[in-house]
Amino acid sequence: MKNLLKSWALLLIAIATLFSACNKKLEEYNPSNLTATTVYTKAVGFETLVNAAYTYTRFWYGKEEGYLASEMGTDIWTSGTGDPYPMFTQYINLQGTADPLPLLWNNLYAGVNLCNTGIAQIAAVTDYTATQKLNREAELRFLRAFYYWHIVETWGGVNFTTQPTAGANTEANKTPVETFYKQIFEDLTFAVANLTPATTDYGRATVPVAKAFLARMYLTRGMNAEAFNMADDVIKNYGYVLQPKYSDLWNMGNLKNKEVIWAIDYSTNLANNDLTSATYPNGHYRGSNNGHLLYLMVYDQVNSSLLIRDIPNGRPFNRYMPTLAYLNMFDQQNDSRYAGSFQSVWYANKAGTYNGNAVKVGDTVCYTPNATIPAASQSNKYVTYDLAKVYASNGVPIQRKFYVSLSKFKDSTRASVAEAQSARDVFVIRLAEMYLIAAEAKLNLGDAGTAATYINVLRTRAAKTGRTAEMQITPAQVTLDFILDERARELGGEQLRWFDLKRTGKLASRIQAMNPDAAANFKPYELVRPIPQGQIDAVTNKDVFKQNPGYN
């Protein structure tokens, strides 16, 4: 799947060049016979359509716009000093004019339209076998369900169609949420029945991928028995296994591991990814995976005589910082996921002095503990930013430059300190989520005992050496809030949090309790995002297709 964007871009250029030539001189000879209506009647052409349908996932997963829509404005993240979008992180005047919205909207709907096109035309492919047709249609139906889920959860009951759109369409519809989900379940049922059980082409949808996403959809719609059964099926029957250590998941040399059910596959050859270029003019302005940039504090501003920006520490955009409430969720004595997720110590990469003390390369320069350390106990050999220097007692950050930083997305394989692109794959669904879905579904069904059993599997993996017993929970401890805390410890930053809080009806209450920045501005109607203003302006049936309630 690594060359999808490149091959798709070249095909688009070929078709565009052909049509440009034909418009200039109608009698011009077309030796390739390549036209928009014939290219998809042969397997070689239809394959480019299916491959291209996957590429729109890259405009959400691993991109700043996708992190904004799926992680920010929740209980676990707030703004660093480098945050340019407080309308998402803190709900400050969130409106349809917000810059990130059009990129998400346009590419999700482009993905849907390409899926619709392929589903409508696959019967005309002359050199597929019947099995191949079913498999490729199943991939397109899975992707359509995947894109429509992001659309309906983000914007609510907006435009919906299963028919391909050719040319300009100036009208849009408002469709009930239930209609979206009816189609999502139909498409995923078809996908489960007709996808291949496995593939050597990493990144393609398979039966367990569709089942895992279907488990998420069942849970989203309150179909708890179905959610448990589907998640349990994926856990037990497809050979997925948890990595021995939580930290193993984030090793750049171990990305394609057996815990990952489905990932967005970013190439180590960055030219094969999605950076805007002459051959891919509709790409992303930053390209590839951006997650490594967004959660890092500006460590290179602590003491530039001892610590300068380097590749191992990453390129810090200082966009997001954890809320105090998020840090308080971790049991640092027993749970390895804190150390496996965050960086709290920065070491000198230049020799020098600090407070009259000699500092060698490798000595500590900055310490940001998840604790409050009495001033008398703080070392004079390095700078300490403990919790008291970062957060007020009510959780509002005192300063937003130096703090505990999410480090699990860092990429030490980047070619230079300035490189913004990362080849890190984005894990969209991994096995740990299936255990958490199974637990939440069982809790909703009144079976806290089974819920605790599934959670304890993850907590056993997360336990520090010799601390397994301390990590086990009892059925009495299992509540919805406990599961949400556990999901934050396990899945923080993995582009699920906003959906989790919305699904459980906890978005407003947990923002109010845990994120004072967002609590000051959040309004109940912000359970859906505003439709991009450009879409509102473009439609001609403005009496039907109106902005979501509450927004200007």
Side-chain angles (χ1 to χ4, degrees):
M1 298 292 283
K2 289 184 180 297
N3 295 313
L4 300 187
L5 280 162
K6 190 173 183 179
S7 61
W8 174 239
L10 292 174
L11 177 67
L12 288 179
I13 290 170
I15 293 175
T17 302
L18 167 69
F19 290 152
S20 175
C22 290
N23 286 338
K24 292 177 183 176
K25 194 173 184 179
L26 291 177
E27 68 274 14
E28 193 164 17
Y29 176 53
N30 176 14
S32 69
N33 292 316
L34 182 67
T35 68
T37 56
T38 62
V39 70
Y40 299 139
T41 62
K42 296 293 185 182
V44 64
F46 201 87
E47 287 295 300
T48 65
L49 182 150
V50 176
N51 289 347
Y54 282 91
T55 64
Y56 294 100
T57 59
R58 292 181 171 183
F59 287 91
W60 186 286
Y61 286 92
K63 297 301 189 293
E64 182 169 5
E65 293 83 357
Y67 285 105
L68 284 167
S70 55
E71 287 286 326
M72 298 306 118
T74 65
D75 53 345
I76 63 176
W77 304 111
T78 190
S79 301
T81 53
D83 176 20
Y85 301 113
M87 65 285 288
F88 282 90
T89 47
Q90 301 185 46
Y91 297 95
I92 297 175
N93 195 31
L94 177 61
Q95 298 294 342
T97 53
D99 288 344
L101 291 169
L103 181 137
L104 296 174
W105 176 282
N106 293 343
N107 283 286
L108 288 170
Y109 271 110
V112 167
N113 191 53
L114 195 57
C115 292
N116 286 343
T117 300
I119 293 165
Q121 295 191 14
I122 195 167
V125 180
T126 58
D127 52 344
Y128 271 154
T129 66
T131 299
Q132 287 173 321
K133 285 185 178 182
L134 286 172
N135 181 249
R136 290 299 185 247
E137 181 177 351
E139 287 186 79
L140 293 170
R141 285 182 178 269
F142 168 80
L143 289 169
R144 181 168 67 181
F146 187 72
Y147 292 135
Y148 263 145
W149 176 68
H150 289 76
I151 288 169
V152 73
E153 287 298 318
T154 304
W155 290 287
V158 287
N159 192 73
F160 173 86
T161 182
T162 58
Q163 300 303 310
T165 299
N169 186 353
T170 62
E171 293 190 353
N173 60 64
K174 282 290 189 84
T175 300
V177 169
E178 291 73 17
T179 302
F180 279 83
Y181 273 102
K182 180 176 183 294
Q183 189 64 53
I184 286 170
F185 284 120
E186 287 180 6
D187 283 344
L188 291 178
T189 300
F190 185 94
V192 167
N194 294 289
L195 285 169
T196 58
T199 179
T200 58
D201 196 359
Y202 188 80
R204 283 195 182 276
T206 60
V207 170
V209 171
K211 285 185 173 182
F213 188 61
L214 186 53
R216 189 190 290 179
M217 295 303 94
Y218 282 141
L219 190 68
T220 299
R221 300 306 287 171
M223 302 167 70
N224 294 296
E226 295 87 344
F228 173 81
N229 290 335
M230 194 64 68
D232 198 46
D233 182 14
V234 175
I235 290 168
K236 293 178 177 176
N237 295 320
Y238 292 93
Y240 296 109
V241 293
L242 296 174
Q243 289 295 284
K245 298 179 181 179
Y246 182 78
S247 58
D248 292 342
L249 282 161
W250 315 112
N251 184 332
M252 284 296 293
N254 187 43
L255 295 179
K256 292 173 174 58
N257 62 73
K258 290 300 292 180
E259 185 169 338
V260 179
I261 297 172
W262 191 43
I264 307 305
D265 185 20
Y266 282 105
S267 177
T268 54
N269 181 352
L270 299 179
N272 288 337
N273 292 333
D274 57 344
L275 183 68
T276 302
S277 66
T279 57
Y280 192 57
N282 294 319
H284 191 273
Y285 64 94
R286 192 172 292 139
S288 300
N289 187 341
N290 308 160
H292 65 105
L293 304 164
L294 305 175
Y295 295 92
L296 301 180
M297 77 170 207
V298 281
Y299 65 89
D300 51 346
Q301 295 181 25
V302 173
N303 187 335
S304 59
S305 66
L306 299 173
L307 177 60
I308 59 173
R309 185 180 301 182
D310 61 11
I311 293 174
N313 282 301
R315 182 177 174 182
F317 269 32
N318 191 207
R319 295 291 204 246
Y320 319 133
M321 62 187 293
T323 61
L324 179 59
Y326 186 23
L327 295 178
N328 287 338
M329 291 179 195
F330 288 90
D331 174 0
Q332 298 175 79
Q333 182 178 2
N334 299 311
D335 194 335
S336 70
R337 288 175 296 191
Y338 178 77
S341 299
F342 295 98
Q343 182 171 349
S344 295
V345 182
W346 283 260
Y347 301 102
N349 51 27
K350 295 172 64 179
T353 60
Y354 178 72
N355 281 346
N357 299 297
V359 178
K360 304 185 299 295
V361 171
D363 287 349
T364 299
V365 172
C366 182
Y367 181 38
T368 59
N370 184 4
T372 296
I373 301 175
S377 300
Q378 294 185 17
S379 174
N380 67 349
K381 295 181 179 181
Y382 51 80
V383 179
T384 297
Y385 289 98
D386 68 346
L387 294 183
K389 291 180 181 176
V390 181
Y391 303 95
S393 59
N394 63 358
V396 175
I398 298 169
Q399 54 84 22
R400 300 172 188 263
K401 294 178 67 174
F402 310 116
Y403 47 79
V404 173
S405 297
L406 187 76
S407 58
K408 66 185 187 181
F409 301 143
K410 288 202 307 182
D411 179 2
S412 60
T413 69
R414 294 177 304 118
S416 71
V417 296
E419 180 58 72
Q421 296 190 82
S422 169
R424 177 179 288 279
D425 296 341
V426 177
F427 301 157
V428 181
I429 310 174
R430 56 184 177 90
L431 185 62
E433 185 190 351
M434 295 300 102
Y435 282 96
L436 290 163
I437 286 173
E440 186 176 329
K442 277 298 186 182
L443 176 66
N444 292 339
L445 292 168
D447 185 355
T450 302
T453 298
Y454 279 78
I455 292 171
N456 280 333
V457 173
L458 295 184
R459 292 179 66 83
T460 297
R461 189 267 294 272
K464 288 185 175 181
T465 302
R467 311 300 291 184
T468 300
E470 290 81 357
M471 283 289 285
Q472 304 306 291
I473 61 167
T474 66
Q477 292 173 270
V478 182
T479 65
L480 188 54
D481 280 310
F482 182 91
I483 288 176
L484 286 171
D485 288 354
E486 191 69 11
R487 289 184 70 96
R489 289 184 282 264
E490 181 71 34
L491 303 169
E494 296 179 48
Q495 299 192 242
L496 282 169
R497 191 60 178 180
W498 195 79
F499 299 115
D500 290 344
L501 297 187
K502 182 176 179 181
R503 177 188 71 250
T504 56
K506 292 281 191 174
L507 182 62
S509 62
R510 287 181 72 102
I511 286 173
Q512 289 297 323
M514 301 180 181
N515 187 342
D517 284 339
N521 306 297
F522 178 78
K523 303 171 185 64
Y525 63 77
E526 289 172 318
L527 284 168
V528 293
R529 310 292 195 180
I531 299 168
Q533 189 59 44
Q535 297 297 315
I536 300 295
D537 295 340
V539 298
T540 54
N541 60 333
K542 291 180 172 57
D543 56 326
V544 173
F545 193 77
K546 299 178 180 179
Q547 181 57 271
N548 280 334
Y551 298 106
N552 295 338

